Amino acid sequence: MAGAARQRRAFTLLELLVAMALMVVAASCLYTALYTGFRARRSAMSAVEPTALAVNAIELLKQDIYGVLTPDGVLAGAFVGTNSAGIKGVDADSLDFYTTHVYAADDEVAAGLGQIELMLIEDDDTDDGTYQLVRRVTTNLLSLKAVDPDEQILCRSVVSLNLRYFDGDGWVEAWDSTADANSLPQAVEIDIEIAHDKDRRTGEPRKRRLVQCFAIPCGVWARKESESEG
């Protein structure tokens, strides 16, 4: 009787095969769910990261603009915005000006006067024709010899950069304070386009455009305007 009881409690070969098949199905479903989740996370990160870097770059430029110095002031030079074309005719503008807001590299913050150069440089690490958005900072404005600026790559995968300037009546594509009585624009608009993950059907990178406008503090350009009129 005891042997018969043990026989009834044991699994049959068919039951073991069914249990193994169920385990395989469950493991397959779990793997599929995890793979889908990780792939969605990678896709989201690849889409968000370039945009987040571009937003940070715009915020940094806004702080620079808020501290802009009048072009003929002490230790301050011209405010020059150049309208340029890059690869395939896209906008690749640049901007050169002096400001009191300076952020040095290597995680150190330095306050004082500095010259800012904002430009696009072709990204040699990729073959998709995108740029690096580069900010060059020169802090030693009293040096008697040429000083190499600190170069900071604000973001990569930049498709185009268009800068416009408000003169009080409308928006213009370029600005040169030396040609207009050392005047400053009343506002600056930055229009940047970023490439992120590629479209599976076309193979072309998707693009995201960010546009932001910020005013130059009225005390700066208004004072200069009144001086030129006087």
Side-chain angles (χ1 to χ4, degrees):
M1 293 293 293
R6 282 198 298 270
Q7 237 179 4
R8 286 196 296 272
R9 287 198 297 269
F11 289 106
T12 65
L13 178 60
L14 179 60
E15 289 172 334
L16 287 173
L17 290 176
V18 170
M20 292 177 63
L22 290 175
M23 289 178 61
V24 170
V25 171
S28 177
C29 292
L30 180 60
Y31 172 79
T32 302
L34 288 174
Y35 176 77
T36 302
F38 283 124
R39 186 176 64 181
R41 182 181 182 277
R42 286 195 301 268
S43 178
M45 290 297 294
S46 64
V48 169
E49 185 177 4
T51 305
L53 292 175
V55 170
N56 291 336
I58 292 175
E59 182 62 27
L60 180 58
L61 179 58
K62 180 172 70 173
Q63 297 302 322
D64 288 336
I65 291 293
Y66 283 169
V68 67
L69 297 170
T70 53
D72 63 344
V74 179
L75 296 179
F79 184 102
V80 179
T82 306
N83 184 32
S84 305
I87 303 172
K88 299 179 181 179
V90 301
D91 290 308
D93 295 353
S94 60
L95 179 59
D96 188 346
F97 62 100
Y98 291 74
T99 182
T100 58
H101 290 75
V102 176
Y103 298 84
D106 301 326
D107 298 327
E108 295 182 2
V109 179
L113 305 181
Q115 180 184 6
I116 303 294
E117 299 174 81
L118 189 74
M119 65 192 71
L120 293 184
I121 296 179
E122 291 184 32
D123 195 341
D124 296 330
D125 296 333
T126 64
D127 57 358
D128 54 4
T130 58
Y131 295 92
Q132 298 174 354
L133 178 61
V134 173
R135 177 178 179 265
R136 292 176 177 168
V137 183
T138 303
T139 56
N140 189 359
L141 302 179
L142 292 174
S143 176
L144 299 178
K145 60 180 181 180
V147 178
D148 292 331
D150 294 327
E151 186 170 292
Q152 306 163 349
I153 299 176
L154 300 183
C155 64
R156 302 177 184 271
S157 302
V158 180
V159 177
S160 66
L161 174 68
N162 184 36
L163 299 169
R164 298 197 305 166
Y165 312 90
F166 188 69
D167 61 5
D169 296 321
W171 292 95
V172 295
E173 297 293 334
W175 193 277
D176 186 353
S177 63
T178 62
D180 191 19
N182 289 320
S183 64
L184 289 171
Q186 296 183 18
V188 177
E189 180 190 78
I190 180 169
D191 183 343
I192 186 170
E193 194 170 28
I194 305 293
H196 54 94
D197 58 321
K198 293 184 179 181
D199 189 307
R200 293 182 179 179
R201 292 173 298 178
T202 64
E204 294 293 325
R206 296 187 178 95
K207 299 175 183 178
R208 184 161 297 170
R209 183 183 177 196
L210 295 89
V211 181
Q212 188 168 347
C213 174
F214 30 85
I216 289 179
C218 61
V220 180
W221 62 262
R223 180 172 65 250
K224 189 64 208 171
E225 189 176 73
S226 62
E227 290 174 357
S228 62
E229 290 176 355

